[in-house]
Amino acid sequence: MVVLGIESSCDETAAAVFDSDGLKSNVIASQTVHEQFGGVVPELASRAHHKTISATVQQALDEAGISAGQIDYLGVTQGPGLMGSLLVGLCFAKGLSISHQLPLIGINHMDAHIYSNFIDQQPSYPFVALTVSGGHTRLELVEAPFEHRKLGATRDDAAGEAFDKIGKLLGLSYPAGPEIDQMARRGDPEFHNFPQAMKDKGYEFSFSGLKTSVRYFLEEKGGRDSEFVRDHLSDICASVTHAITEVLVVKLARAVKEYEVNTTVLAGGVAANSMLRDKVETMARREKINIHIPKLAYCTDNAAMIAITAFMKAERGEGDDLSIQPYTRLSEK
Ligand code: KG4
Ligand code: ZN
């Protein structure tokens, strides 16, 4: 069974081929046009998808050594994401589906982040999944394939959004998560005690207070260009990362204990964060549970995760027809 996956929910145009032997190709065209604006500009994102999608899909087929006629199923991100961006991928997939009579499978981007762990691993059910991306932060109990029980989510900013907004305050370029991660490795996580909101109970998250507290901290120290802030940039990055990751790991550990699972998976762009990966691994050793973390290439947006999720759905006989429409929010699912 050969599956082509297409992803275009935000600012990466991506295509990948997955078959019964594993991943055959994984192509990502990242859009750089947004850097100058400090965030993704939706209209520019859809135009860039439109420009690159055809070549990206062709490259994924070429690298997998197949032609469009050899595809058995077509998986495409249906939502959540930016409406214009989703439409480009979905319309392209519908066209391909019509021209090559391919069954279409609409994929939930957040589920796909979780199932990216199945590209080269086999997590056992039930497991607790922590999905941390630029747009979402969610804890879920996954009882069986595609049977998810939501335990909690963020009430305001997502973890990745917190990294990006705090990076902006620090004068870093968008998206700031990877740079904060790099700098944090050289810094002292206990340099400053930033708030760890809602850590002590439940499964809900809140990161917008942290952003405000960083803003006040910078003002008090003379602004982001002051000598003090420049000298301690790594320490500030480490302390911010510490605050974000502590809350995430404490809540993940709480869910693991309460629901008595022995497996947990991490997913989403922030799962690339080295402090988070270390802390989750330490927690897993302490609690004697299995932990699955995607390879770095499968943490941030990619189409391999769409292809594997479509593959798993196709195996279960699930599919959609040409009437499927994109949705921008998870609640519209
Ligand atoms: O999953 P993703 O690629 O896109 C969404 O679905 O939102 O996540 C992107 C987010 C961005 O906020 C980015 O700053 C963050 O993931 N990110 C990181 C790291 N790499 C990406 N955050 C912290 N540390 C990283 N190494
Ligand atoms: Zn994503």
Side-chain angles (χ1 to χ4, degrees), residues 31-45:
Q31 305 177 355
T32 49
V33 59
H34 310 288
E35 273 165 21
Q36 56 187 308
F37 301 104
V40 177
V41 183
E43 180 58 25
L44 295 180

Side-chain angles (χ1 to χ4, degrees), residues 268-281:
V270 181
N273 184 268
S274 47
M275 197 187 293
L276 180 61
R277 292 168 90 98
D278 287 350
K279 282 185 184 178
V280 170
E281 269 162 7

Side-chain angles (χ1 to χ4, degrees), residues 2-328:
V2 182
V3 178
L4 170 69
I6 297 177
E7 153 67 30
S8 72
S9 65
C10 189
D11 58 344
E12 343 273 345
T13 320
V17 174
F18 190 92
D19 73 11
S20 319
D21 294 328
L23 189 65
K24 291 290 159 310
S25 65
N26 185 26
V27 178
I28 303 179
S30 295
Q31 305 177 355
T32 49
V33 59
H34 310 288
E35 273 165 21
Q36 56 187 308
F37 301 104
V40 177
V41 183
E43 180 58 25
L44 295 180
S46 30
R47 288 181 197 201
H49 284 305
H50 192 254
K51 236 190 227 165
T52 44
I53 194 156
S54 188
T56 306
V57 168
Q58 190 56 54
Q59 193 181 335
L61 295 177
D62 290 347
E63 287 183 15
I66 60 164
S67 63
Q70 288 167 279
I71 304 168
D72 297 309
Y73 290 91
L74 190 50
V76 60
T77 306
Q78 195 182 347
L82 301 170
M83 181 49 83
S85 294
L86 290 165
L87 270 170
V88 175
L90 194 54
C91 291
F92 187 89
K94 285 182 181 179
L96 211 56
S97 161
I98 293 168
S99 57
H100 294 276
Q101 284 95 49
L102 300 174
L104 193 64
I105 307 177
I107 300 295
N108 175 309
H109 179 93
M110 298 307 293
D111 288 356
H113 270 302
I114 293 175
Y115 294 106
S116 69
N117 280 286
F118 288 76
I119 295 170
D120 45 22
Q121 309 170 58
Q122 241 356 289
S124 52
Y125 299 92
F127 58 79
V128 170
L130 172 64
T131 314
V132 270
S133 72
H136 297 86
T137 297
R138 285 171 79 81
L139 258 175
E140 285 164 274
L141 177 65
V142 182
E143 289 162 305
F146 306 104
E147 278 178 35
H148 297 208
R149 189 175 351 152
K150 179 180 156 194
L151 305 179
T154 184
R155 294 192 175 173
D156 39 58
D157 292 349
E161 194 176 358
F163 275 111
D164 296 337
K165 288 181 173 171
I166 290 168
K168 203 168 183 177
L169 294 175
L170 294 170
L172 307 178
S173 54
Y174 177 88
E179 199 177 344
I180 293 182
D181 186 358
Q182 285 298 325
M183 271 191 294
R185 291 178 208 199
R186 302 191 294 269
D188 173 10
E190 281 164 18
F191 172 72
H192 185 81
N193 206 359
F194 287 113
Q196 299 175 9
M198 304 176 86
K199 185 171 94 172
D200 295 334
K201 58 177 199 290
Y203 299 117
E204 296 282 297
F205 301 88
S206 167
F207 293 109
S208 69
L210 171 63
K211 175 189 64 195
T212 310
S213 124
V214 172
R215 176 178 293 133
Y216 287 147
F217 176 82
L218 294 177
E219 276 169 19
E220 192 192 303
K221 301 295 179 192
R224 74 177 190 206
D225 296 320
S226 69
E227 204 178 320
F228 178 88
V229 171
R230 290 296 117 195
D231 285 351
H232 289 288
L233 197 53
S234 306
D235 297 326
I236 297 168
C237 288
S239 301
V240 164
T241 309
H242 176 65
I244 294 175
T245 54
E246 271 305 293
V247 178
L248 295 174
V249 176
V250 163
K251 292 196 184 238
L252 180 59
R254 184 174 298 141
V256 162
K257 277 193 198 138
E258 182 175 345
Y259 293 94
E260 298 178 342
V261 298
N262 58 23
T263 302
T264 177
V265 316
L266 210 56
V270 181
N273 184 268
S274 47
M275 197 187 293
L276 180 61
R277 292 168 90 98
D278 287 350
K279 282 185 184 178
V280 170
E281 269 162 7
T282 306
M283 183 274 284
R285 274 196 299 276
R286 190 185 65 228
E287 303 296 332
K288 297 188 175 52
I289 56 164
N290 304 312
I291 168 80
H292 297 271
I293 309 178
K295 274 188 192 160
L296 287 180
Y298 309 148
C299 288
T300 41
D301 288 349
N302 64 86
M305 69 184 197
I306 306 301
I308 176 76
T309 311
F311 188 94
M312 291 168 71
K313 283 194 173 250
E315 275 184 326
R316 296 158 55 84
E318 290 179 33
D320 296 295
D321 58 38
L322 290 169
S323 68
I324 58 170
Q325 297 297 328
Y327 49 83
T328 56

